[in-house]
Amino acid sequence: MEKLKEKILTEGRVLPNNVLKVDSFLNHQLDPPFLMEIGQEFAKRFYAKNPNKILTVEASGIALALMTGYIMKIPVVFAKKRRGTIPDNFYHAKIFSYTRQENIFITVDRKYLTPNDRILIIDDFLATGEATRGLIEIVNTAGATLVGVGIAIEKSFQAGASFLSSLGVPTESLVKIKSLDRGKIEFL
Amino acid sequence: MEKLKEKILTEGRVLPNNVLKVDSFLNHQLDPPFLMEIGQEFAKRFYAKNPNKILTVEASGIALALMTGYIMKIPVVFAKKRRGTIPDNFYHAKIFSYTRQENIFITVDRKYLTPNDRILIIDDFLATGEATRGLIEIVNTAGATLVGVGIAIEKSFQAGASFLSSLGVPTESLVKIKSLDRGKIEFL
């Protein structure tokens, strides 16, 4: 998606440890019309997979998932992050949060994920793949069908991309980043 | 907003301690077309105040704020919740989280809030008013102008409503709940 590349080049900042900050339109400040364009792009790429529900994880995934759900006319469920005890009525998966440098749980109320569901996972970033792995684990535990994974920004040099590829899950990354070495953004 | 009242009556659940769960369309699962209608309603009520930016707090505020920002064609900033040290480049306010039963900070990067901004605060619930109070504190610290507060569901019997009223801030609550006593939802 050319426009996303341009936004990343003009507004993104590379921080140490291969962190790409896109706080001005995706992760802290949100650019609603642009996020709607991203939703349209995801919808176009996944209509044929016929999902009936979108799954994402709070907080940064919500905006993209919501816009995609709006275009596709299907509900969105966002997994919640928790520490400590998980109530019995929640599916859960343990993931390692690199931002927080600790293990956390992501959880989804069993009511909102059933074996009849055809799930499209949407998220802002694919890096180590921890969040996506956790979401897929929850989809599998629920006995739902995973029809695809839509990622806005894939850091192709980290483990998540090859993990998803090894699973054979249909994945669409709107932008793929080959390298952030020496603060320079290089697309694949 | 009649449709929101109906949704609350048909899908909401009252839990102990005056908690109203609207997980099926607002706080865990999201109903995108309905949230767009809420965004349209907020936009209608606040156009005349001429905001140039919307401020909310993660995670549940994001969906409503995004739809309102989409209709009004203005950016959205969501405050992030944190514990521990706050980086120098963030405005912050300490609030008590009733969900977590602890003090947390809500924070906004100074870059995204300036004295030229005319801020509309949007949030899903107004109960004790802690989150709203924190957001207003941040707006004031930044020297920005607060033009209004839009709330989807006001629990009028808790402290937040009278706190906002005492400040004289233009507040629009789409639904006002008078009481949740004995598990019964009574509107004002």
Side-chain angles (χ1 to χ4, degrees):
Chain A
M1 193 183 179
E2 280 310 310
K3 195 164 170 187
L4 180 53
K5 281 189 189 172
E6 284 162 33
K7 280 279 235 191
I8 292 170
L9 286 176
T10 53
E11 301 182 28
R13 283 176 310 130
V14 182
L15 304 187
N17 300 317
N18 288 319
V19 171
L20 174 64
K21 275 272 189 196
V22 285
D23 265 6
S24 64
F25 62 94
L26 191 57
N27 295 131
H28 186 23
Q29 183 168 252
L30 304 172
D31 177 339
F34 180 60
L35 297 180
M36 186 63 93
E37 285 182 53
I38 292 185
Q40 280 158 340
E41 184 66 31
F42 280 134
K44 201 174 70 181
R45 297 189 186 202
F46 287 108
Y47 265 127
K49 301 286 179 193
N50 201 24
N52 75 322
K53 195 172 279 181
I54 291 172
L55 181 64
T56 190
V57 60
E58 66 178 359
S60 297
I62 294 175
L64 291 178
L66 181 67
M67 291 316 207
T68 310
Y70 180 74
I71 301 286
M72 299 189 90
K73 299 184 173 58
I74 56 179
V76 171
V77 174
F78 63 90
K80 301 194 176 195
K81 293 172 180 167
R82 281 177 204 258
R83 266 175 269 233
T85 328
I86 312 296
D88 284 345
N89 56 323
F90 278 76
Y91 296 117
H92 63 276
K94 194 198 275 185
I95 64 169
F96 184 74
S97 164
Y98 285 83
T99 321
R100 306 190 193 191
Q101 286 293 314
E102 59 174 347
N103 284 313
I104 57 168
F105 291 101
I106 58 173
T107 66
V108 174
D109 193 318
R110 288 168 185 262
K111 231 183 335 205
Y112 300 124
L113 208 46
T114 76
N116 298 321
D117 282 327
R118 294 177 56 80
I119 299 295
L120 170 60
I121 290 175
I122 293 283
D123 212 352
D124 54 343
F125 272 95
L126 177 66
T128 64
E130 276 292 285
T132 314
R133 185 188 56 68
L135 291 173
I136 293 174
E137 186 181 324
I138 286 174
V139 170
N140 289 338
T141 310
T145 305
L146 178 64
V147 304
V149 176
I151 300 290
I153 304 173
E154 173 187 308
K155 289 152 88 179
S156 309
F157 56 91
Q158 288 188 267
S162 49
F163 164 71
L164 278 187
S165 159
S166 74
L167 289 184
V169 179
T171 303
E172 294 281 341
S173 300
L174 303 188
V175 158
K176 293 182 182 186
I177 291 176
K178 191 171 74 178
S179 158
L180 294 170
D181 286 350
R182 294 174 305 280
K184 195 170 169 304
I185 301 166
E186 278 190 76
F187 297 109
L188 198 67
Chain B
M1 191 184 179
E2 280 310 309
K3 195 163 168 186
L4 180 54
K5 279 189 189 172
E6 284 161 33
K7 280 279 235 189
I8 292 170
L9 286 176
T10 52
E11 301 183 26
R13 284 175 310 131
V14 182
L15 304 188
N17 300 316
N18 286 320
V19 171
L20 174 63
K21 275 272 189 196
V22 285
D23 265 5
S24 64
F25 62 94
L26 191 58
N27 295 132
H28 186 23
Q29 183 168 251
L30 303 172
D31 178 339
F34 179 60
L35 297 180
M36 187 62 92
E37 285 182 54
I38 292 184
Q40 280 159 340
E41 184 67 31
F42 279 133
K44 201 173 69 183
R45 297 189 186 203
F46 286 108
Y47 266 126
K49 300 288 180 192
N50 202 24
N52 75 323
K53 196 172 279 182
I54 291 172
L55 182 64
T56 189
V57 61
E58 66 177 1
S60 297
I62 293 175
L64 292 178
L66 181 68
M67 291 317 207
T68 310
Y70 180 74
I71 301 287
M72 299 188 90
K73 299 184 173 58
I74 56 179
V76 171
V77 173
F78 62 89
K80 300 193 176 198
K81 293 173 180 166
R82 281 177 204 257
R83 267 175 269 234
T85 327
I86 312 296
D88 283 346
N89 56 322
F90 278 76
Y91 296 117
H92 62 275
K94 195 198 273 187
I95 65 169
F96 184 74
S97 164
Y98 284 83
T99 320
R100 307 188 192 190
Q101 287 292 315
E102 60 174 345
N103 284 313
I104 57 167
F105 290 101
I106 57 173
T107 66
V108 174
D109 192 318
R110 287 168 186 262
K111 232 184 333 206
Y112 301 124
L113 209 47
T114 76
N116 298 322
D117 283 326
R118 296 177 54 81
I119 300 295
L120 170 60
I121 290 175
I122 294 284
D123 212 352
D124 55 343
F125 271 95
L126 177 65
T128 63
E130 276 292 284
T132 313
R133 184 188 56 69
L135 291 173
I136 293 174
E137 187 182 324
I138 286 174
V139 171
N140 290 338
T141 309
T145 305
L146 178 65
V147 304
V149 176
I151 299 290
I153 304 173
E154 173 187 307
K155 288 151 90 178
S156 310
F157 56 92
Q158 288 188 267
S162 48
F163 163 71
L164 277 187
S165 158
S166 75
L167 290 185
V169 179
T171 303
E172 294 281 342
S173 300
L174 303 187
V175 158
K176 293 182 182 186
I177 292 176
K178 191 171 74 179
S179 157
L180 294 170
D181 286 351
R182 294 173 305 281
K184 196 171 168 306
I185 301 165
E186 279 189 74
F187 297 109
L188 198 66

